[in-house]
Amino acid sequence: MILCLSLSMIVIALGLCASVLFFPGSKIRWAARHANSEKPVYAQNLECLCRTGVSDKPWEYIVIHHSATTKGNAARFDYYHREKRKWEHGLAYHFVIGNGSFSGDGEVEVGDRWKKQIHGAHTANADCNRVAIGICLVGDFENTDIPTENQIESLVRLIQYLSRKYNIPSSNILQHKQVHQKCTACPGKNFPFAEVKTRLLQIASKRNNLMLEL
């Protein structure tokens, strides 16, 4: 009986080793990222969340950023931008999407710049800042992190809502590094921009099909 158990344990151990040896690293990273994909995303009411008490600006672009930090939230970034960078309006972005460190995983936080409908400070291009909505995902996607599934889901929902509201075309949804300015890697090499654009196209396609059916 003991011999049978030992043999079984050896077989299982060998199987696990084989899986690690022959499973490509990129797939392991993807699997790790999606391991908790069944967790519910933040089902926030974007209509209420994005409501302001002032007239809307004619926004033309959406620019995606990462915080380049492994942890953080809107309040912490606001403190840094206001106290350390000495920016009058604090938080450079209009929205921050948490990764579960100091705010919820996928939680969308709204900055004062959005509530007051004033320009961002999220790129080095002043002309872009005047017409571009800045969305920052907490994480360092250039070095150590990848966005959580909840962050991506919330980002897609937020972009879809904002792009419809302000008639922003898909071509005007950009990564920070695509803005004409000084060189930056933001939002990092691990940010799945193609996946985000694909999801947005799928949502738009479904909506168009429903409208045709009506």
Side-chain angles (χ1 to χ4, degrees), residues 5-24:
L5 286 172
S6 299
L7 288 172
S8 298
M9 291 174 68
I10 291 171
V11 170
I12 291 170
L14 288 173
L16 288 173
C17 288
S19 296
V20 172
L21 287 172
F22 295 102
F23 204 76

Side-chain angles (χ1 to χ4, degrees), residues 19 29 92 123 145 157 182 192 206:
S19 296
R29 287 174 64 80
T123 79
D145 300 333
R157 289 182 67 241
K182 65 182 181 182
K206 287 179 181 177

Side-chain angles (χ1 to χ4, degrees), residues 43 69 74 90 98 120 126 133-134 146 150 156 167 172 184 193-194 203 209:
T69 60
I133 301 169
I146 51 177
N150 281 354
V156 168
N167 296 313
N172 286 9
T184 177
F193 188 55
I203 291 171
N209 289 338

Side-chain angles (χ1 to χ4, degrees), residues 23-37 146-147 149 192 195 199:
F23 204 76
S26 60
K27 289 186 179 180
I28 290 175
R29 287 174 64 80
W30 189 92
R33 176 183 145 198
H34 290 270
N36 296 320
S37 60
I146 51 177
E149 176 62 17
E195 178 184 337
R199 293 195 192 190

Side-chain angles (χ1 to χ4, degrees), residues 161-178:
Y161 172 80
L162 294 171
S163 60
R164 284 187 65 193
K165 184 176 177 66
Y166 299 101
N167 296 313
I168 299 172
S170 177
S171 57
N172 286 9
I173 298 169
L174 307 173
Q175 300 177 90
H176 184 193
K177 61 187 174 186
Q178 293 176 291

